Amino acid sequence: ASSAEGCPRCPCPSTTGELSGAYSRLVASEIDARCDQDKSPRILLLGLGCGELATHVAHHCGGSVQIDAVELDERLPVLARLYFGMPDAVRVSVGDALPFVLEKQRSAGASDEERYDVVFVDCFSTGGVTPEHCRSPEFVRAVHALTRAGGKVIQHLWHADLAHAEVPKEFEDTLALYGREFACEGCRVSHRSVGA
């Protein structure tokens, strides 16, 4: 096929939103808990990948959840729908995460209806390297502004990558940045290691 749209549909049974791996299950458990508390949560996924998490959340939370996703690679939303069962209800914008969150921040203003209960950031360039603009002060401020009071921001970061010596320092710097940005009453910054 010359494009993702030209690929045939998967002949396999449709997915039920099952997850693969401890990392996916950990992130999903955080979002699932929000869906169990709030009957109509708003979820923002910055980095869609194959749509595994979006599909799981759509199945677990049902029709009342609103899922917005941003994906840089225009092929992935098409493939997520064709091969991984991502529902059409998942609204996907193709583009870069930083311009998206800055525009959302401007348009959301003070409106709580436009903010999110959970923002999940899963942006990588090569290996464990997170692009600088997806861990910059401007980005973290915008993500914070898009999160409802009592909401949660989760960012997937590698803390080590043998092929990229800069990753440990970038991890520590990003964690410190979140600590400064979320140094507010009722806010908490923590990290968990998953996998080897």
Side-chain angles (χ1 to χ4, degrees), residues 50-122:
C50 69
E52 176 184 47
L53 184 60
T55 301
H56 169 83
V57 170
H59 283 279
H60 178 85
C61 298
S64 62
V65 67
Q66 180 183 328
I67 305 169
D68 292 335
V70 179
E71 175 53 53
L72 185 61
D73 187 334
E74 66 186 18
R75 299 168 300 174
L76 293 182
V78 174
L79 296 173
R81 293 190 201 288
L82 282 173
Y83 296 109
F84 297 97
M86 189 176 74
D88 291 337
V90 176
R91 299 184 319 187
V92 180
S93 297
V94 174
D96 198 276
L98 179 60
F100 179 90
V101 297
L102 292 175
E103 178 55 35
K104 271 288 201 195
Q105 179 187 15
R106 279 190 286 279
S107 67
S111 169
D112 201 53
E113 288 101 33
E114 293 298 313
R115 291 191 177 124
Y116 294 91
D117 297 291
V118 178
V119 177
F120 175 56
V121 184
D122 196 18

Side-chain angles (χ1 to χ4, degrees), residues 101-182:
V101 297
L102 292 175
E103 178 55 35
K104 271 288 201 195
Q105 179 187 15
R106 279 190 286 279
S107 67
S111 169
D112 201 53
E113 288 101 33
E114 293 298 313
R115 291 191 177 124
Y116 294 91
D117 297 291
V118 178
V119 177
F120 175 56
V121 184
D122 196 18
C123 301
F124 291 95
S125 56
T126 304
V129 177
T130 299
E132 192 280 328
H133 66 276
C134 288
R135 53 183 171 77
S136 68
E138 180 180 39
F139 179 81
V140 174
R141 269 193 307 276
V143 166
H144 188 188
L146 290 176
T147 306
R148 289 178 173 162
K152 191 170 271 199
V153 176
I154 304 167
Q155 182 156 2
H156 180 198
L157 296 166
W158 285 23
H159 66 278
D161 180 349
L162 295 177
H164 297 93
E166 69 273 25
V167 168
K169 181 172 179 354
E170 290 174 355
F171 172 82
E172 292 299 330
D173 291 348
T174 305
L175 202 58
L177 174 61
Y178 271 96
R180 289 188 301 275
E181 177 60 32
F182 287 85

